[in-house]
Amino acid sequence: MNPAERSRTQIAVLDTGGQYCHLIARRIREQGVSAEVLPSATPAEQLRAFKGVVISGGPSSVYEPGTPTVDPALFSRGLAVLGICYGMHLMAQLNGGRVERGERGEFGPAWLEIDDPDVLFSGLERRQPIWMSHRDAVTSLPPGFRRLGHTDTCPVAAMADEARRLYGVQFHPEVVHTRRGAELLANFLFRVCGCERDWDPKRQLEALKQRIREAVGDRNVLFFLSGGVDSTVAYTVTIRALGPERVHGVYVDTGLMREGETEFVAAVFESLAAGNFFIEHAAEEFLSALAGVRDPEQKRVIIGEKFVDIQERILERGHYLDGHWILGQGTIYPDTIESGGTAHADVIKTHHNRVAGIQRLIEANRIVEPLTSFYKDEVRELGRALGLPETILSRHPFPGPALAIRCLCTDSSEPVRRLEDGWILPVRSVGVQGDSRSYRPVLALEEFPAPGEELHDEATVLINRNAGINRVVALVASHTALGRMSTHPSEISPERLARLRRADAIVRRLAHESSFDRRIWQFPVVLIPVGDAGRPDSVVLRPVDSVDGMTANAVLMERGLLDTMSGELLSLDGVAAVFYDLTHKPPATIEWE
Ligand code: XMP
């Protein structure tokens, strides 16, 4: 966000390290109010121009040394402040109240009893379903504050000092499980802070184009395109700002893409900038570099290095490193390091840093990132306003290494083994347990769970009980009994990629026709080298729901759709069985690798 914009932003969200911080800012913007995320320690002096401040929740405890804090002057400047969870704890502690560790935590749904229907709860019933996630609690109110609400286990679930416009809530109004959370935020924004509706991404298109023109000057812009939403919208808005002659787009065909992907992307981009979009055909290069490679980390390293080589080659060949060109990128707001609190930012950075030529452009500030003020949903809105097809805008996220991390390999022939709880598939997949990645075999259940069965809890119990595994799948359908299947040496071959591509296309079509794809965040389809004599592979379905990919829930599908899907998949050449992944993240990751 540039300084002129910042001075007009109405709400500052102070980031205390919580996973919900960006979600709060998004929810505020959804009300049409401009909001931005700032480091928690931002001096109160710099917050003067804002109409209100929200202090986010965070994982720390306020009574531990060295945990994030806010400038105490924040509370004496006449600024309206809303503290959420840890933010309320800071507000209590810094104003002379007390915060202590509770005997038991409160995680998940709870009922809020409103003791005092204050302006914050205006229009809401006295009893409200809310979402809690805490162990610490305010045990003594600061002077001047009074309690507004409580729950069975939390004596102070909401508090306020109305005279000073200071409000605190223990629960999370930003998550959808707090049913009237949006109204509560609206009460704070419009009734307490006096905000106006000033935020509408679509209406910022003209200003955005103007900013691009200013940033680029008389140079030209090169984009590396992935076919994903962010880079596509960034590229399109830059073309609209500068004209198609001054913007080049390159798409690298790795040979690892989904069925029809390269053709689809090419058709969209060519219609945007005929003649100035090109495809770098590199399928042969990627496939030969991956021949014989089975280890997941090695696959990633090889693909990453290939990308670097190819991008360097393109930069050099097209003379993009001379003074006339800058690099365009689709970085969006949560990817920026502005808040100082998003660990994610570092990951993105190291990723891009790997290409020396790109690094030089970044260091020389020869880079334009049109979307750094926007969240993903807002980027989609911009894309709609630009007339991009919904087929691009509503896509599920797709990983950079593409099908390579969904095509599992092994170098051994091992039979499937019986265990008390099910069958061990001797093919290892990646998981995340605690803070570290695991690489372990999979447990397969013979029966698909009946509707309503708490399969995910069962999956977690099974993983806790069987230390050697990190993932649980259920058999959906097969040509051969599980006990007669085995693994066999396999690598990323054109034949297996073609099989996976067919399976993925079937699943995508059926998920789309049934609208199942709208209920989920992502639907990886995985090929594993577990099969019988004539059919070397099986297909795993991995539909998940998530907000940001950091954690995810496995999602069940209704039986009719599942039967149609598995029927079509089993008719594919070389496919022995269809499995369904029942595991949340953690303990499993979304991708199998
Ligand atoms: P995991 O498997 O770690 O995946 O649970 C979390 C999310 O990240 C995506 N993913 C990637 N995205 N480049 C990307 O742009 C990558 O290298 C990459 N690896 C995983 C994955 O699809 C999921 O949405």
Side-chain angles (χ1 to χ4, degrees):
M1 215 167 277
N2 66 33
E5 261 179 293
R6 173 165 296 155
S7 66
R8 292 195 305 267
T9 306
Q10 297 185 84
I11 299 289
V13 180
L14 301 184
D15 180 6
T16 67
Q19 57 174 328
Y20 294 124
C21 174
H22 277 293
L23 190 55
I24 297 169
R26 259 171 63 196
R27 293 286 182 247
I28 294 171
R29 289 180 176 189
E30 279 168 18
Q31 307 263 358
V33 172
S34 53
E36 70 175 296
V37 173
L38 293 173
S40 66
T42 304
E45 183 57 29
Q46 286 176 27
L47 297 170
R48 248 185 354 183
F50 289 89
K51 290 198 170 148
V53 173
V54 178
I55 311 172
S56 82
S60 322
S61 285
V62 289
Y63 45 75
E64 273 164 12
T67 50
T69 191
V70 296
D71 180 355
L74 187 63
F75 303 111
S76 52
R77 294 281 170 108
L79 262 172
V81 185
L82 172 65
I84 296 176
C85 193
Y86 180 83
M88 169 165 107
H89 300 161
L90 280 176
M91 179 181 279
Q93 192 193 43
L94 295 170
N95 284 285
R98 225 179 136 76
V99 176
E100 287 171 298
R101 188 178 170 85
E103 289 209 342
R104 45 193 187 110
E106 214 178 359
F107 300 95
W111 285 93
L112 173 71
E113 304 288 345
I114 298 174
D115 305 308
D116 202 333
D118 173 87
V119 56
L120 200 60
F121 297 113
S122 177
L124 273 64
E125 299 88 48
R126 296 294 279 248
R127 206 171 131 79
Q128 287 294 324
I130 54 165
W131 187 260
M132 287 286 211
S133 180
H134 72 114
R135 189 174 287 274
D136 292 349
V138 173
T139 50
S140 161
L141 286 166
F145 279 76
R146 66 198 175 88
R147 175 172 104 169
L148 300 181
H150 67 277
T151 71
D152 281 351
T153 43
C154 180
V156 182
M159 64 176 201
D161 177 345
E162 286 103 329
R164 288 198 288 161
R165 298 200 299 162
L166 305 181
Y167 292 83
V169 290
Q170 178 61 70
F171 55 92
H172 290 269
E174 71 277 20
V175 306
V176 289
H177 314 281
T178 296
R179 201 177 302 152
R180 309 289 294 274
E183 280 112 307
L184 185 144
L185 282 177
N187 283 337
F188 177 71
L189 298 173
F190 300 111
R191 290 170 186 260
V192 177
C193 303
C195 289
E196 293 143 26
R197 288 194 204 301
D198 68 335
W199 181 262
D200 179 355
K202 292 190 294 297
R203 302 225 315 260
Q204 296 177 39
L205 264 183
E206 285 313 310
L208 187 55
K209 287 194 259 179
Q210 186 52 34
R211 278 206 299 281
I212 294 171
R213 285 191 280 267
E214 282 161 17
V216 174
D218 59 2
R219 298 168 298 182
N220 302 327
V221 186
L222 169 71
F223 276 89
F224 285 104
L225 300 165
S226 67
V229 177
D230 303 342
S231 61
T232 302
V233 173
Y235 174 62
T236 310
V237 71
T238 307
I239 289 176
R240 298 289 161 81
L242 305 176
E245 327 56 58
R246 294 178 55 198
V247 186
H248 284 190
V250 194
Y251 170 87
V252 178
D253 178 6
T254 60
L256 299 167
M257 305 314 285
R258 304 172 127 182
E259 189 171 286
E261 175 74 6
T262 299
E263 296 77 359
F264 170 71
V265 162
V268 172
F269 289 141
E270 263 155 21
S271 72
L272 289 171
N276 289 316
F277 161 75
F278 57 99
I279 300 178
E280 183 76 5
H281 293 282
E284 291 288 309
E285 276 175 76
F286 275 90
L287 292 186
S288 55
L290 285 167
V293 177
R294 300 185 163 96
D295 177 73
E297 281 309 302
Q298 221 189 328
K299 281 197 249 176
R300 276 184 174 272
V301 168
I302 288 174
I303 293 169
E305 285 172 356
K306 255 290 147 248
F307 256 113
V308 170
D309 288 351
I310 291 171
Q311 291 189 328
E312 294 283 14
R313 183 169 82 205
I314 293 167
L315 290 173
E316 207 144 294
R317 194 183 57 209
H319 305 289
Y320 292 112
L321 292 173
D322 71 18
H324 302 296
W325 287 87
I326 69 174
L327 184 76
Q329 290 198 314
T331 319
I332 65 170
Y333 193 33
D335 300 337
T336 63
I337 49 167
E338 204 169 1
S339 76
T342 30
H344 195 55
D346 289 337
V347 178
I348 302 272
K349 228 169 52 191
T350 37
H351 179 71
H352 289 306
N353 283 356
R354 305 250 300 273
V355 181
I358 290 183
Q359 183 60 19
R360 281 208 299 282
L361 290 174
I362 293 172
E363 275 162 15
N365 209 13
R366 282 168 53 194
I367 178 163
V368 62
E369 299 177 294
L371 304 178
T372 47
S373 300
F374 301 99
Y375 286 111
K376 192 86 167 189
D377 295 339
E378 299 172 336
V379 170
R380 290 201 177 95
E381 268 185 64
L382 287 173
R384 271 179 210 116
L386 289 163
L388 283 169
E390 203 57 34
T391 33
I392 287 251
L393 300 175
S394 59
R395 311 186 113 193
H396 288 161
F398 189 69
L403 297 182
I405 58 171
R406 297 179 178 175
C407 186
L408 272 74
C409 310
T410 179
D411 52 10
S412 69
S413 300
E414 256 185 86
V416 168
R417 294 198 307 281
R418 178 88 200 147
L419 214 71
E420 199 183 320
D421 287 322
W423 296 87
I424 289 286
L425 305 183
V427 47
R428 286 186 290 173
S429 83
V430 171
V432 51
Q433 280 151 307
D435 282 335
S436 48
R437 272 166 107 74
S438 60
Y439 186 46
R440 295 184 183 158
V442 179
L443 183 77
L445 308 177
E446 237 157 334
E447 295 289 323
F448 193 75
E453 254 184 279
E454 286 302 321
L455 70 160
H456 314 108
D457 295 347
E458 190 188 335
T460 309
V461 169
L462 289 170
I463 288 165
N464 291 340
R465 194 155 67 206
N466 297 280
I469 60 163
N470 60 6
R471 205 182 274 276
V472 178
V473 297
L475 179 66
V476 179
S478 66
H479 287 294
T480 313
L482 254 181
R484 303 233 302 274
M485 293 202 232
S486 60
T487 61
H488 26 258
S490 47
E491 54 183 48
I492 299 183
S493 61
E495 187 194 357
R496 293 187 78 223
L497 275 176
R499 186 173 296 138
L500 174 55
R501 227 175 250 130
R502 283 304 309 141
D504 179 70
I506 290 172
V507 172
R508 262 202 298 165
R509 171 171 50 79
L510 291 172
H512 184 67
E513 285 170 8
S514 61
S515 298
F516 179 72
D517 60 355
R518 278 192 253 151
R519 278 180 46 206
I520 52 174
W521 190 72
Q522 198 178 18
F523 197 159
V525 175
V526 184
L527 196 74
I528 57 174
V530 175
D532 55 32
R535 308 173 192 90
D537 287 311
S538 290
V539 172
V540 184
L541 306 174
R542 173 71 171 140
V544 292
D545 195 16
S546 177
V547 176
D548 53 9
M550 303 299 279
T551 61
N553 287 351
V555 179
L556 268 197
M557 175 187 296
E558 52 104 3
R559 190 73 219 197
L561 175 60
L562 186 57
D563 288 342
T564 312
M565 212 175 256
S566 56
E568 284 202 34
L569 291 170
L570 277 188
S571 72
L572 288 177
D573 221 28
V575 173
V578 177
F579 295 94
Y580 204 103
D581 192 336
L582 305 177
T583 334
H584 290 328
K585 173 183 181 180
T589 45
I590 295 175
E591 306 289 351
W592 281 47
E593 312 263 332

